[in-house]
Amino acid sequence: MSTLFTPFSMGPLTLANRIAIAPMCQYCADEGMAGDWHMIHLGHLALSGAAILFLEASAVSPEGRISPKDLGIWSDGHAAALAPIVAAMRRHAPIRLAIQLAHAGRKASSMVPWEGGANIAVGEGGWQTVAPSALPHAEGDTVPLALDDDGLARIRDAFVAAAVRSHALGLDAIELHAAHGYLLHQFLSPLSNRREDQYGGSLENRMRYPLEVFAAVREAVPASMAVGVRISATDWVEGGWDIEQSVRFSQELSAAGADFIHVSSGGISPAQQIALGPSYQIGFASRIREATGMPTIGVGLITEARQAEDIVARGDADVVALARAMLFDPRWPWHAAAQLGARVDAPPQYWRSQPRQYKDLFGPAA
């Protein structure tokens, strides 16, 4: 029996298998509003056979967008724009739905990737960024304003309001984005956090604000909604955030009631030196899973069915997440199930596509 296609629970949330679709920014929202592309894109992925689909990073405030085209959830209007998309997926697919709540911090106000991704200056259509400290992400970028107590409270409350809207939409889970060099990660890393108050300096202090945001979000939604965190396990920069600090942070999150941890890496500095290769981040996930016992999602150049099967069968991660591989092959879970001799969910409209040699791929398909 394939371990990849066995059920698994992350807190209150039961998954049909161990395959997740990682959040992937689409950079096509209008003033943060979801539109036709999101209906097509997310609806397409909802039929993939994966167990859970994470909606892309959704900004909790306008200045928290990575680019002017980012998806947002900072108002009831933004939630209303997402509602018909969520409803359509619910009607046609059993996939679990999660949202990644995010604030880009000093990495905000950037061009979309296919236009180069460079920082947009304030006088050229960009906006003033904020961060733990007044340190730009890269030379020449807008210097962010260091957040004061009022700013910290405002952003924490924005996360809470976004979480409440996400629950009202009927989503199954929330993932707080504390990875890839965005705001919550900026507080964690000593490379970006040079504060001299209770939110800077020691590891305990640098963890304080992300943990406060998590606690506020966890309290704002019922226990029936799973809440987890995506982290960068290492900055890939000497003197930066690393796996041992990630273990400690994950232990604190577990104690605070986190239902899962999603383990990625990098993004805090252009100086990063990433050792790329198949499954290159899975060792970090394994270390955190072993130290915390928390349901763990592993991600990073996972492209092959047997590769994913081996990861979960060995216990290196409980769930594997795919991003680019799923864009390239939106039926990746079907093909993986065929290769591994497993069953996968497919809509009845597609049952007749089942290849003759895989007579049980879609279960009792008639």
Side-chain angles (χ1 to χ4, degrees), residues 4-5 17-21 45 47-52 95 305 322 325-326 329-340 342-345 361-362:
L4 188 64
F5 286 91
N17 57 52
R18 312 297 189 93
I19 304 170
I21 301 176
L45 292 178
L47 302 176
S48 66
I52 185 169
I95 195 167
L322 288 83
M326 197 70 73
D329 179 7
R331 298 291 180 266
W332 190 95
W334 294 13
H335 302 149
Q339 291 177 43
L340 299 171
R343 289 182 177 182
V344 67
D345 178 79
L361 179 62
F362 298 154

Side-chain angles (χ1 to χ4, degrees), residues 60-61 63-64 102-108 129-133 144-145 147 151-152 155-156 159 177-189 192-193 195 206 209-210 213 268:
V60 300
S61 60
E63 86 282 353
H103 191 296
R106 70 181 189 175
K107 290 182 76 174
T129 57
V130 297
S133 304
L145 296 177
L147 286 160
L152 294 173
I155 292 174
R156 181 201 62 215
F159 271 100
H177 201 352
H180 302 163
Y182 300 124
L183 183 67
L184 298 182
H185 183 189
Q186 290 163 26
F187 273 91
L188 294 171
S189 176
S192 49
N193 184 346
R195 298 175 73 97
R206 285 183 278 114
Y209 186 66
V213 172
I268 201 70

Side-chain angles (χ1 to χ4, degrees), residues 53-131:
L53 167 59
F54 285 87
L55 278 63
E56 65 192 86
S58 300
V60 300
S61 60
E63 86 282 353
R65 292 172 294 169
I66 304 166
S67 82
K69 304 299 287 183
D70 277 31
L71 192 64
I73 192 166
W74 64 80
S75 77
D76 292 344
H78 290 88
L82 275 170
I85 299 169
V86 172
M89 291 190 285
R90 291 292 192 209
R91 282 194 299 271
H92 298 292
I95 195 167
R96 298 292 194 168
L97 300 176
I99 189 169
Q100 186 183 66
L101 300 182
H103 191 296
R106 70 181 189 175
K107 290 182 76 174
S109 188
S110 299
M111 301 293 288
V112 300
W114 52 85
E115 294 178 358
N119 176 251
I120 308 172
V122 174
E124 298 174 3
W127 57 89
Q128 178 60 59
T129 57
V130 297

Side-chain angles (χ1 to χ4, degrees), residues 281-293:
Q281 296 170 151
I282 293 301
F284 302 136
S286 179
R287 174 80 176 86
I288 289 170
R289 182 179 182 270
E290 180 182 13
T292 66

Side-chain angles (χ1 to χ4, degrees), residues 16-344:
N17 57 52
R18 312 297 189 93
I19 304 170
I21 301 176
M24 292 175 280
C25 290
Q26 296 299 292
Y27 305 105
C28 62
D30 184 10
E31 296 297 326
M33 297 287 183
D36 290 349
W37 176 258
H38 298 92
M39 177 69 82
I40 295 168
H41 166 68
L42 293 172
H44 187 50
L45 292 178
L47 302 176
S48 66
I52 185 169
L53 167 59
F54 285 87
L55 278 63
E56 65 192 86
S58 300
V60 300
S61 60
E63 86 282 353
R65 292 172 294 169
I66 304 166
S67 82
K69 304 299 287 183
D70 277 31
L71 192 64
I73 192 166
W74 64 80
S75 77
D76 292 344
H78 290 88
L82 275 170
I85 299 169
V86 172
M89 291 190 285
R90 291 292 192 209
R91 282 194 299 271
H92 298 292
I95 195 167
R96 298 292 194 168
L97 300 176
I99 189 169
Q100 186 183 66
L101 300 182
H103 191 296
R106 70 181 189 175
K107 290 182 76 174
S109 188
S110 299
M111 301 293 288
V112 300
W114 52 85
E115 294 178 358
N119 176 251
I120 308 172
V122 174
E124 298 174 3
W127 57 89
Q128 178 60 59
T129 57
V130 297
S133 304
L135 299 170
H137 174 71
E139 186 177 352
D141 284 0
T142 299
V143 177
L145 296 177
L147 286 160
D148 59 15
D149 288 347
D150 289 343
L152 294 173
R154 175 177 53 79
I155 292 174
R156 181 201 62 215
D157 293 347
F159 271 100
V160 168
V164 171
R165 293 186 191 102
S166 300
H167 177 256
L169 278 169
L171 299 176
D172 298 300
I174 289 169
E175 178 177 273
L176 298 185
H177 201 352
H180 302 163
Y182 300 124
L183 183 67
L184 298 182
H185 183 189
Q186 290 163 26
F187 273 91
L188 294 171
S189 176
L191 300 177
S192 49
N193 184 346
R194 303 290 176 81
R195 298 175 73 97
E196 297 180 353
D197 61 3
Q198 71 271 31
Y199 295 110
S202 68
L203 174 59
E204 181 180 11
N205 283 358
R206 285 183 278 114
M207 293 191 298
R208 190 183 309 276
Y209 186 66
L211 289 172
E212 287 181 358
V213 172
F214 174 84
V217 167
R218 178 69 279 179
E219 185 177 2
V221 298
S224 58
M225 188 176 203
V227 181
V229 180
R230 194 175 200 188
I231 68 167
S232 280
T234 178
D235 288 341
W236 298 102
V237 179
E238 186 175 354
W241 184 254
D242 59 24
I243 182 58
E244 295 308 319
Q245 294 175 87
S246 291
V247 166
R248 173 74 183 283
F249 182 49
S250 300
Q251 290 169 333
E252 293 292 329
L253 287 170
S254 181
D259 294 305
F260 64 90
I261 189 83
H262 189 168
V263 184
S264 188
S265 69
I268 201 70
S269 168
Q272 65 187 14
Q273 296 292 319
I274 300 178
L276 285 174
S279 305
Y280 73 103
Q281 296 170 151
I282 293 301
F284 302 136
S286 179
R287 174 80 176 86
I288 289 170
R289 182 179 182 270
E290 180 182 13
T292 66
M294 193 171 11
T296 303
I297 303 174
V299 66
L301 289 181
I302 300 169
T303 59
E304 305 300 324
R306 178 53 61 183
Q307 175 191 13
E309 171 71 20
D310 290 345
I311 288 167
V312 293
R314 287 194 306 263
D316 290 337
D318 299 297
V319 175
V320 293
L322 288 83
R324 292 170 177 84
M326 197 70 73
L327 291 181
F328 188 73
D329 179 7
R331 298 291 180 266
W332 190 95
W334 294 13
H335 302 149
Q339 291 177 43
L340 299 171
R343 289 182 177 182
V344 67

